[in-house]
Each structure stands twice: as structure tokens, then as C-alpha cells.
């Protein structure tokens, strides 16, 4: 290649766009990478229509990290763990205490999953169904004649499989072993420019082993508690309490590892893991031996196993307490020097939810985990019999915590649809319409409550009619709102001509809906707040039962009576149905990924959003792809600029790909500042990193860097980091967006102030404000017999807009333009960009 050549290196977003579509070439040529992270090149160069600048186009396709086999899609069932892991990166800086709280909360969520599985297997299926003649004959006839101890062993299979799957999933990674000796983080929180940050932390294996150990200890404690079940000839309580005490010691060991989060080089956590496995086998063996034959009553019933109610209450109360403690820790972090710095920027760039994003995300993860656990138990009971709150009634006794949890999810299932309309109207800045929708939602909620009263049926139906009328008024108000008129006027300004032309209204409506992206967090915050309140209610009840001596063995009589009423049963059934539906949909998605590439893409979108960051708050979440993608992209840019002597390497990132490009540039900048180690072994030599920096530019489009990522992860991608890169690169970084894009937006300017046209042809132009370019979408409205009709593209097909080619050409020109001095933070590069330079200290 000649030094004056330009290579555009395209990086796709979360949809896993095929390289053939990225390059517009059905047969691209592989040039580097492997099966999951590959680089392909188009057969023909691309020429910008306006400037005539010619460039070679390559595509970095990393979609196979997240859109591959069905086993990866099944990770979606464990989505609460991945969401909780995100909360760690939403903290306002370094918070050792807050990070420990998040890790503990992750341990509690793991315990909830394993305990719910053991409860369903041992208590509901083995003890209450297979242990009674009637239920066994109807549902589990193949266990007829089996001794109860053998059933207990069979009951260990489901929780054992869950623990094994968690251990196996937690070991998966996409990363190779790091080169050289630089394996220690430069800062305690890590940074995008830290090579060690992108590799699996040595703390993650310890965290994974601690989760496995805690899961084994919990199941072992449940087996030990079964020894105390009321029955003739049961063993002494000394034996049961001794086994429980040993389990408590193992659990304390695991909790200590989670809180301290030591390095694997400092502690052998594998010993903890195998000790916990041994403890589980001993506890299960003792329960099997002493409960081999369990006499049944005259009615064929057996007494529920002891211990499950207590463990469930402890986990629910712990989740509530940890969320409250996390809130307090975030309040403290918000008042710290780093918190004040991050919150001191313009309000449009401040961290989401006033700096409490970690609490919101953690509350959402906990809500899902509680719902999944309760929904699993409720569905199984509904399958084998009727759920009841206390013994003595026909049906299977379901733990109070699970009954309450299912009922609270039923409340959430009713509340969420009622919140959608007013919140969405507020998101598109239509306050009056939002108020009307809110009134309709309140009346609809009253209609639901009236169904459970003794009032005549017409009262409930009357409230439904009133709610429908209010919603109709709200819809009319939305259509005639002044905001809509203003947006339409802006569209007419983009396409001069008659304002009543076909297509104007459609474009205006699309832009109004797309503008809601700046307030997506309102809807997520409403869900998290509702879920957090419900988790607090369930946790408060569990804590009260733990504290009150008379409520430990059985719930208060008033609560038990209410749980048997029609409203409670209907709410529980609805909540269980919703949660079960979510889980079933996730499982079906996993199965469908075997057969449908399109479905793999849909699943991959969800995975892409939750699996970018390293596993530090919860070790059992999708293997992070961010490190491998960032390292591969950086290596390719260095290779092109150094070995192939390319004059300008333009990193071109779409959507999530813009984050990967930003991380790659951060990593490249830091490698250029770091001296070579004495042994000479490192990821990128300093001289190569310096040479690459001189020849690299950046184009982002459809990007969420400013409105989402910088506000959700302010410590890593905050406004200051974006401003620093903007100052370092100058005209070598341009951003492209559309007003019709529901996900992408401006990155370097907000709002648009000074505007000028960037033209690619007589009818092809965009609006430039600084280094941000807003493309018109569609490119033109009036039919042209010599041009292909332009569709609404929204978040996709930025490559097909001729103005995009002009933007890449501008960036390439800026990279190849002679420069005397370029300052990148504390790094100064001197000389011509096409010549090998030297590093000068200072500025």
C-alpha cells in the first residue's frame, strides 16, 4: 500500500450486521482475525461523490461473539445477573464500599435462584407431591414405591445442575492470555485505556468460586434443616445444628471472599469451592440416611421440610437491606470530590437519575431475580395442584415469600401498562397529554380494584368507559400538540417546498418518536422504582418474620387469610403468569437461535448491551466481548498504520461500534504514553502506538456515546472523557446522526446552534454543526426520475448516504494534512503525520 492510501475500518453495532452488508460486497475478502473476530475487505474501493476521495473499506465483524450458538442465547434466562454487573460501572467513581455491596447483592441473587430451584425440587415435588399418595399417583407415578431418602437424592439433581451450569458459564471467556508482564490495573476502578482492564480480572475466578461455594452451602443447609422436620424417630437436633453450623462457616468463607474480592494470586479459592461441594454431599447423605423412610399421616400427607422458609426470608430481607445500603453509599459518593466533578457539568450531560444509576439498575436486576424465583415456584405448584398459604387446606403449601412475591409481580404487571402511556407522552415532551393519560390510568386502576369489591359490576365497567374516554382525549391532544407543529415546521425547512407534500407528516412523526431517546431512562426509572418498592415490601415482610418470634414458623394469621382471598390469588396467578411468560419467551429465543439467523441477531442485540463490560460485580453473566473487540480493533489499526504504511486509518463505528472505537482509541493513546517494559514483552510497543496515533481518525454514527453512555457510565465514558478526545483529535473526529434515529444522536455538540450545509450533490446534503453532521432522512422527498427513491432509514444504512462518504473524506483529509504539533492529553507528537515521529514529554 502507498502512504497516501486511506482505509476506512467499519465496526458494526449491536445488530451484528453481516460484513457483506457493511461493505456492499457479496464476496468480501478475509484479511485478518479468526472465526469470531474477523476483518474483511471490499473488493472495490469507494469514491466520495463530492470530493472524489478514494478509500479502501474494511469491516471488523465481532457479531459472532454474541450471535452464535443457542447456548449463548440461553444466557438471557440469567439476565438479572448481567444487569447487576452493569450497575458496578454506573457508580460515580471509585467506591470500594459500594462495589462490595453490589458484589454481596449479586451473591444474594445467585442464592435466590439456587434456593428457589431447591425449594421446587425438594419441598414441592419430592416432599409435598411425591411424598403423598394422591399427588404421586396423579403426577409422579413413576416414583411409586421409592423410599423417601432416594427421592431426596433425586431432588438434588435440579439444584446440582443449576450450580454446575453457573460454574461452567462463569468460566467462558473470549480472551487470550495477555502478553508481557503488565497484568495489574493502573487504577483500582480500571479505565478504557488500561490493557489489563480488558482482560479477565484475577478477582473474577475468586468471585465465581465464591458464588459456587455459597450455592452449595445453601443447598447443604437446606438438607441439614430437613433433619429437623417433625417426624417420629427424627435424629437429635444437635446433629442438624452441627451440620447447619458447618454450612454457615462455609457460607461465611464465601461471603468473605466476595466482600474482600482478593486476587487469585493471593488466595486459593478452589479450596473453598471443593470444600463446599464436599459439604453439600455430606449434608445430602445424612438427610438421605435419616429420612430414608418417612411415615405419612392417615391422609397420606407429610410435614413440610424445615428450613426453606427461613432461608427464603433471609435472602429476601438481605436483598432489601443491601439495596438500601447501596442507596446510602451512592449518596456518599455523590458528595465526594469525584461525584461533585461528574455532577457539575451542564444538566444535559449529567449522570442519569441524578447520579443514582447504580441503584436503579440494581433495583431492576433484583426485581427480575425475585420475580423469576417466585414465578418458578408458583408455576410448579399450579402444575401439580392448588397453591395454599397454610397446611390443612387442599393443595400444596407454597411459602409465604413466594406467594407474596408472585402477588407483588401481579401488581407490577397491572401497574406497568398503566404507566406506559403517560410516561411515553412525557418522553416526547407533551405534558398536557401526559396528565390526561395519567388521569385515565388512575381511573383504570380504580376499575381493577372495583372488580374485587361487593359493588355492582356496572361500577367497574363505568370506570373502564371513563378511562377509555380519557385515553381518547389524550391521543387527540398528542396529535394536535404544539411540539408536533414545531417539528413539522423543521421538516419543511429541511425539504423546501409545499408543506402539505406527501411524506412530510410521516417524517415529522418519526422525528417526534425518535426524540424520546433523550428520555428513555424515564420509563426504565419508573419500572425500577415500582420494582424497588415491591422488593422493599417483600423484604420488609421477610425481615419482620425473622425478627418476630411468633411469625418464624408460620405467617401472621391475617396475612395467611388474605393470601387465600380472591384478589390475592388472582394477583399471584397473574404475576406468576407474567414472569413465567418472560422466562418461556427467553427459553424459546434460545431454542430458536438454532434454526433462525434472524433470531440469533435479535438475541445478540440484548447480549451486546449487557456483555460489553468485564465481570466484576457478578461473575456469572455472559462472557464479556468488549475486551477482545477493543484489543483486536486496536491491533488492526496499528498493523495498518505500521506494517502496511497506510496514510490514514479511519475508524468508523456504528452504534455500539462507536463505543468499541472509542475504547480502542483510549487504549491506543495509553499505550503510546507507557514506556516499554524491561523484558520488551507488551501488547503494543510504544513506538508503534505513537506511529498509529498519528494516522488514525474517527467517524461515529448512530452513536449513543453522549446521550446514553456518557450519562450512564460517567466515570468511564463521561462528558469529560468525550471532551478530552474531542480536544485531542479535533477535525479527525466527526459524528453523523439523524433526527429520525431512535438510538443515535449528536456526540460533540448539543443542541445544534451554528449550522451550515455539507453537500454531496444538488439534492444530497446534511446539516453541519461543528464536527457533528445531521443527515436528512430521507435524503430527498420530491421524486427524481434519475435517482433511486430514498427511504426512511432511521438507525440503519448510514453507509448508503452519499453525505457519509463526504464525512469520511473530510476526516481522511484531516489525518493526512501536514501538522507541526499534535497534542493528545499529556502526549505531544511532532512532525509530519506520514513520517515516523518521536514522543516529546510535556505539552
Amino acid at each position: 500500500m502507498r502512504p497516501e492510501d486511506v482505509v476506512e475500518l467499519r465496526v458494526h453495532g449491536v445488530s451484528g450486521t453481516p460484513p457483506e452488508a457493511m461493505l456492499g460486497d457479496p464476496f468480501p475478502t478475509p484479511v485478518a482475525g479468526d472465526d469470531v473476530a474477523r476483518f474483511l475487505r471490499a473488493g472495490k474501493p469507494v469514491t466520495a461523490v463530492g470530493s472524489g476521495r478514494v478509500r479502501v473499506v474494511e469491516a471488523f465483524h465481532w457479531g459472532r461473539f454474541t450471535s452464535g450458538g443457542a447456548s449463548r442465547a440461553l444466557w438471557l434466562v440469567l439476565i438479572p445477573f448481567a444487569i447487576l454487573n452493569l450497575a458496578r460501572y454506573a457508580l460515580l467513581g471509585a467506591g470500594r464500599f459500594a462495589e462490595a455491596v453490589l458484589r454481596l447483592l449479586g451473591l444474594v441473587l445467585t442464592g435466590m435462584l439456587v434456593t428457589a430451584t431447591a425449594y421446587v425440587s425438594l419441598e414441592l415435588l419430592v416432599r409435598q407431591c411425591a411424598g403423598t399418595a394422591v399427588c404421586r399417583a396423579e403426577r409422579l407415578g413413576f416414583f411409586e414405591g421409592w423410599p423417601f431418602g432416594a427421592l431426596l437424592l433425586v431432588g438434588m439433581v435440579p439444584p446440582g445442575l443449576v450450580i454446575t451450569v453457573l460454574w461452567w458459564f462463569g468460566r467462558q471467556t473470549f480472551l487470550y492470555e495477555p502478553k508481557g508482564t503488565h497484568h495489574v490495573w493502573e487504577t483500582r476502578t480500571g479505565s478504557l485505556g488500561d490493557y489489563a482492564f480488558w482482560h479477565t480480572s484475577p478477582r473474577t475466578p475468586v468471585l465465581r468460586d465464591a458464588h459456587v461455594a455459597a450455592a452449595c452451602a445453601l443447598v447443604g443447609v437446606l438438607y441439614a434443616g430437613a433433619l429437623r422436620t417433625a417426624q417420629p424417630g427424627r435424629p437429635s437436633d444437635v446433629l442438624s445444628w452441627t451440620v447447619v453450623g458447618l454450612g454457615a462457616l462455609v457460607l461465611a468463607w464465601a461471603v468473605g471472599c466476595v466482600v474482600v474480592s482478593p486476587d487469585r494470586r493471593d488466595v486459593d479459592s478452589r479450596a473453598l469451592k471443593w470444600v463446599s461441594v464436599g459439604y453439600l454431599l455430606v449434608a445430602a447423605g445424612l438427610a438421605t440416611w435419616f429420612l430414608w423412610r418417612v411415615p405419612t399421616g392417615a391422609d397420606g400427607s407429610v410435614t413440610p421440610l424445615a428450613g426453606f422458609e427461613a432461608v427464603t426470608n433471609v435472602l429476601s430481607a438481605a436483598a432489601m437491606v443491601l439495596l438500601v445500603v447501596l442507596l446510602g453509599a451512592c449518596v456518599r459518593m455523590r458528595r465526594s470530590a469525584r461525584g461533585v466533578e461528574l455532577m457539575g457539568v451542564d444538566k444535559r450531560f449529567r449522570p442519569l437519575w441524578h447520579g443514582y444509576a447504580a441503584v436503579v439498575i440494581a433495583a431492576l436486576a433484583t426485581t427480575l431475580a425475585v420475580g423469576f424465583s417466585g414465578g418458578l415456584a408458583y408455576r410448579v405448584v399450579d402444575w401439580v395442584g392448588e397453591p395454599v398459604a397454610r397446611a390443612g387446606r387442599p393443595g400444596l403449601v407454597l411459602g409465604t415469600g413466594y406467594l407474596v412475591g408472585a402477588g407483588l409481580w401481579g401488581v407490577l404487571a397491572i401497574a406497568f401498562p398503566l404507566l406506559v402511556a403517560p410516561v411515553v407522552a412525557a418522553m416526547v415532551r407533551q405534558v398536557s397529554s401526559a396528565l390526561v393519560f395519567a388521569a385515565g390510568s388512575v381511573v383504570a386502576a380504580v376499575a381493577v380494584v372495583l372488580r374485587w369489591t361487593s359493588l355492582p359490576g356496572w361500577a367497574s365497567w363505568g370506570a373502564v368507559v371513563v378511562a377509555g374516554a380519557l385515553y381518547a382525549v389524550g391521543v387527540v391532544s398528542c396529535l394536535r400538540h404544539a411540539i408536533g407543529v414545531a417539528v413539522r415546521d423543521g421538516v419543511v425547512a429541511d425539504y423546501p417546498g409545499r408543506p402539505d407534500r406527501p411524506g412530510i407528516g410521516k417524517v415529522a412523526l418519526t422525528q417526534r418518536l425518535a426524540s424520546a431517546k433523550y428520555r428513555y431512562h424515564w420509563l426504565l426509572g419508573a419500572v425500577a422504582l415500582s420494582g424497588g418498592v415491591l422488593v422493599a415490601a417483600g423484604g420488609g415482610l421477610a425481615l419482620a418474620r425473622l425478627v418476630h418470634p411468633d411469625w418464624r414458623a408460620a405467617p401472621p394469621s391475617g396475612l395467611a387469610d388474605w393470601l387465600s382471598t380472591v384478589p390475592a390469588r388472582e394477583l399471584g396467578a397473574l404475576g406468576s403468569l407474567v414472569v413465567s411468560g418472560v422466562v418461556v419467551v427467553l427459553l424459546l429465543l434460545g431454542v430458536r437461535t438454532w434454526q433462525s439467523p434472524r433470531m440469533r441477531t435479535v438475541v445478540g442485540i440484548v447480549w451486546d448491551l449487557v456483555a460489553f463490560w468485564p465481570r466484576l460485580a457478578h461473575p456469572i453473566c455472559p462472557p464479556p466481548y468488549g475486551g477482545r473487540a477493543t484489543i483486536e480493533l486496536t491491533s488492526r489499526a496499528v498493523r495498518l498504520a505500521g506494517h502496511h504504511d497506510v496514510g490514514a486509518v479511519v475508524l468508523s463505528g456504528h452504534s455500539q461500534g462507536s463505543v468499541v472505537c472509542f475504547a480502542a482509541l483510549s487504549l491506543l493513546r495509553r499505550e503510546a504514553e507507557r514506556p516499554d517494559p524491561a523484558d520488551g514483552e507488551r501488547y503494543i510497543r510504544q513506538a508503534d502506538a505513537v506511529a498509529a496515533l498519528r494516522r488514525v481518525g474517527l467517524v461515529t454514527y448512530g452513536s449513543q456515546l453522549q446521550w446514553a453512555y456518557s450519562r450512564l457510565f460517567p466515570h468511564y465514558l463521561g462528558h469529560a472523557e468525550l471532551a478530552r478526545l474531542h480536544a485531542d483529535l479535533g477535525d479527525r473526529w466527526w459524528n453523523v446522526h439523524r433526527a429520525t434515529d431512535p438510538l443515535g444522536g449528536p456526540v460533540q455538540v448539543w443542541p445544534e446552534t451554528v449550522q451550515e450545509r455539507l453537500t454531496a450533490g444538488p439534492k444530497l446534503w446534511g446539516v453541519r454543526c461543528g464536527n457533528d453532521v445531521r443527515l436528512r432522512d430521507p435524503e430527498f422527498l420530491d421524486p427524481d426520475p434519475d435517482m433511486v427513491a430514498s427511504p426512511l432509514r432511521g438507525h440503519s444504512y448510514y453507509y448508503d448516504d452519499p453525505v457519509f462518504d463526504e464525512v469520511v473524506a473530510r476526516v481522511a483529509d484531516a489525518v493526512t494534512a501536514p501538522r507541526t504539533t499534535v497534542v493528545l492529553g499529556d502526549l505531544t507528537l511532532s512532525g509530519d503525520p506520514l513520517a515516523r515521529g518521536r514522543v516529546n514529554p510535556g505539552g
Side-chain angles (χ1 to χ4, degrees):
M1 286 188 177
R2 299 169 301 177
E4 63 268 26
D5 285 340
V6 176
V7 174
E8 178 195 354
L9 191 50
R10 293 178 177 175
V11 185
H12 63 77
V14 296
S15 60
T17 307
E20 295 81 4
M22 295 171 66
L23 300 174
D25 185 343
F27 305 105
T29 303
V31 292
D34 55 23
D35 289 341
V36 292
R38 52 192 181 140
F39 294 87
L40 301 98
R41 179 173 295 175
K44 296 182 180 179
V46 176
T47 303
V49 176
S51 63
R53 163 73 86 165
V54 180
R55 68 186 188 276
V56 175
V57 182
E58 286 189 5
F60 174 39
H61 186 251
W62 52 268
R64 293 187 177 182
F65 285 138
T66 57
S67 303
S71 63
R72 298 177 184 174
L74 293 176
W75 274 106
L76 295 177
V77 179
L78 303 179
I79 196 72
F81 299 162
I83 293 176
L84 183 72
N85 192 63
L86 286 181
R88 189 264 180 196
Y89 299 96
L91 293 171
L92 297 179
R96 190 185 301 272
F97 180 72
E99 291 176 16
V101 173
L102 281 172
R103 291 194 298 269
L104 273 178
L105 183 57
L107 189 67
V108 170
L109 299 191
T110 300
M112 284 183 175
L113 172 63
V114 175
T115 301
T117 306
Y119 180 77
V120 167
S121 175
L122 294 172
E123 170 61 25
L124 297 181
L125 294 181
V126 170
R127 182 67 169 180
Q128 295 195 50
C129 189
T132 57
V134 176
C135 186
R136 182 174 60 248
E138 292 181 355
R139 298 292 185 181
L140 303 174
F142 47 87
F143 285 130
E144 187 67 41
W146 283 45
F148 187 73
L151 294 178
L152 284 178
L153 284 180
V154 173
M156 190 174 69
V157 172
L161 285 176
V162 169
I163 294 173
T164 303
V165 167
L166 294 180
W167 168 78
W168 179 63
F169 277 8
R171 290 177 57 87
Q172 294 183 8
T173 180
F174 293 121
L175 294 169
Y176 303 124
E177 287 298 318
K179 297 178 182 179
T181 58
H182 185 71
H183 301 164
V184 181
W185 287 15
E186 296 180 340
T187 61
R188 195 171 59 80
T189 57
S191 66
L192 300 187
D194 187 352
Y195 175 64
F197 172 77
W198 289 117
H199 275 280
T200 300
S201 169
R203 291 180 171 84
T204 302
V206 178
L207 202 59
R208 180 186 64 241
D209 290 342
H211 277 246
V212 171
C216 290
L218 283 174
V219 178
V221 166
L222 292 174
Y223 270 106
L227 294 173
R228 299 186 65 249
T229 301
Q231 60 183 337
R234 75 174 186 176
S236 171
D237 286 349
V238 175
L239 175 62
S240 176
W241 284 116
T242 300
V243 180
V244 169
L246 292 175
L249 290 177
V250 176
L251 189 59
W253 187 0
V255 170
C257 287
V258 169
V259 172
V260 178
S261 187
D263 195 311
R264 183 157 216 174
R265 293 166 291 194
D266 300 329
V267 61
D268 186 8
S269 61
R270 286 170 292 190
L272 167 64
K273 177 177 62 181
W274 292 116
V275 166
S276 67
V277 172
Y279 167 76
L280 171 58
L281 295 177
V282 169
L286 289 173
T288 300
W289 175 265
F290 286 101
L291 299 177
W292 188 256
R293 292 290 181 186
V294 176
T296 60
D299 59 351
S301 64
V302 293
T303 307
L305 296 174
F308 282 96
E309 196 79 11
V311 172
T312 303
N313 288 334
V314 168
L315 292 173
S316 298
M320 178 204 66
V321 171
L322 288 173
L323 281 178
V324 174
V325 173
L326 179 63
L327 176 61
C330 288
V331 171
R332 182 179 179 183
M333 293 182 66
R334 198 173 182 272
R335 296 177 179 175
S336 65
R338 178 60 172 164
V340 171
E341 176 188 353
L342 293 174
M343 296 299 299
V345 299
D346 187 281
K347 64 180 182 180
R348 294 166 295 186
F349 311 127
R350 287 175 190 165
L352 294 178
W353 298 296
H354 303 282
Y356 298 107
V359 181
V360 173
I361 297 173
L364 181 63
T366 306
T367 302
L368 290 175
V370 171
F372 285 6
S373 301
L376 172 64
Y378 202 101
R379 279 294 99 193
V380 171
V381 172
D382 196 49
W383 171 61
V384 298
E386 180 73 17
V388 296
R390 60 174 63 172
R393 299 177 180 177
L396 273 68
V397 180
L398 185 60
T400 306
Y402 293 118
L403 282 173
V404 172
L408 292 177
W409 256 85
V411 174
L412 184 61
I414 294 174
F416 178 72
L418 298 180
L419 287 172
V420 169
V423 172
V424 170
M427 287 167 59
V428 295
R429 297 182 299 169
Q430 299 186 2
V431 179
S432 59
S433 302
L435 293 175
V436 176
F437 282 132
S441 297
V442 170
V443 176
V446 171
V448 173
V449 174
L450 289 176
R451 285 188 65 254
W452 296 321
T453 65
S454 58
L455 293 175
W458 60 262
S460 175
W461 284 110
V464 170
V465 172
V466 173
L470 288 172
Y471 270 91
V473 172
V475 171
V476 174
S477 175
C478 283
L479 296 176
R480 299 185 177 183
H481 200 277
I483 295 293
V485 176
V487 171
R488 189 182 182 92
D489 291 342
V491 173
V492 172
D494 274 348
Y495 305 96
R498 291 184 11 251
D500 58 346
R501 283 172 298 165
I504 291 289
K506 181 179 180 181
V507 174
L509 177 60
T510 305
Q511 290 188 8
R512 289 176 66 186
L513 296 176
S515 67
K517 60 176 169 277
Y518 301 110
R519 288 163 289 276
Y520 283 162
H521 61 284
W522 290 7
L523 187 59
L524 185 61
V527 175
L529 178 61
S530 303
V533 170
L534 299 182
V535 169
L541 175 62
L543 185 61
R545 292 194 61 191
L546 291 172
V547 173
H548 200 291
D550 297 335
W551 295 352
R552 293 173 185 171
S557 58
L559 177 61
D561 292 337
W562 186 83
L563 290 174
S564 301
T565 62
V566 173
R569 292 202 305 269
E570 290 186 355
L571 285 174
L574 175 61
S576 172
L577 186 64
V578 170
V579 175
S580 302
V582 172
V583 174
V584 168
V585 167
L586 294 177
L587 290 174
L588 289 177
L589 285 176
V591 174
R592 283 286 294 160
T593 53
W594 271 310
Q595 307 166 340
S596 171
R598 183 179 181 87
M599 192 61 66
R600 283 199 295 269
T601 298
V602 173
V603 172
I605 290 176
V606 180
W607 194 353
D608 292 346
L609 296 176
V610 299
F612 179 76
W613 300 96
R615 295 177 282 199
L616 292 177
H618 201 296
I620 306 169
C621 51
Y625 68 88
R628 177 78 184 278
T630 298
I631 292 171
E632 292 285 353
L633 180 60
T634 309
S635 299
R636 183 60 181 168
V638 171
R639 183 75 176 172
L640 289 172
H643 180 78
H644 295 291
D645 207 22
V646 173
V649 179
V650 180
L651 301 183
S652 172
H654 174 240
S655 191
Q656 183 77 3
S658 67
V659 182
V660 176
C661 290
F662 185 92
L665 277 173
S666 300
L667 181 57
L668 189 61
R669 293 173 68 248
R670 186 68 190 99
E671 290 294 310
E673 297 170 353
R674 185 184 302 116
D676 291 334
D679 60 10
E681 290 292 333
R682 63 177 293 172
Y683 163 52
I684 296 175
R685 293 189 303 113
Q686 184 182 28
D688 293 338
V690 170
L693 272 176
R694 301 167 59 81
R695 304 186 181 197
V696 169
L698 175 63
V699 176
T700 53
Y701 40 100
S703 175
Q704 305 89 31
L705 273 173
Q706 186 185 87
W707 71 265
Y709 280 98
S710 68
R711 303 180 68 197
L712 188 57
F713 311 112
H715 182 68
Y716 297 91
L717 286 160
H719 181 259
E721 300 299 322
L722 297 182
R724 187 175 298 113
L725 184 64
H726 171 78
D728 290 345
L729 294 184
D731 285 342
R732 292 190 292 156
W733 178 18
W734 283 42
N735 179 69
V736 180
H737 64 98
R738 297 187 179 113
T740 55
D741 190 339
L743 296 175
V747 171
Q748 303 183 71
V749 295
W750 188 354
E752 297 179 2
T753 51
V754 180
Q755 298 183 353
E756 59 176 308
R757 286 189 179 185
L758 181 66
T759 303
K763 290 188 175 183
L764 306 174
W765 50 270
V767 179
R768 176 184 177 184
C769 177
N771 283 3
D772 260 270
V773 176
R774 177 175 60 81
L775 302 181
R776 296 187 305 164
D777 187 29
E779 298 158 21
F780 54 88
L781 281 179
D782 299 328
D784 191 316
D786 296 321
M787 298 181 70
V788 178
S790 176
L792 272 171
R793 296 193 173 101
H795 189 58
S796 305
Y797 302 108
Y798 276 87
Y799 316 119
D800 294 342
D801 195 310
V803 178
F804 175 84
D805 292 333
E806 293 302 317
V807 171
V808 177
R810 295 283 185 99
V811 172
D813 290 341
V815 172
T816 56
R819 302 186 301 276
T820 302
T821 301
V822 176
V823 179
L824 289 162
D826 297 329
L827 177 67
T828 302
L829 309 178
S830 302
D832 190 287
L834 300 182
R836 298 289 181 182
R838 62 185 183 277
V839 180
N840 294 336

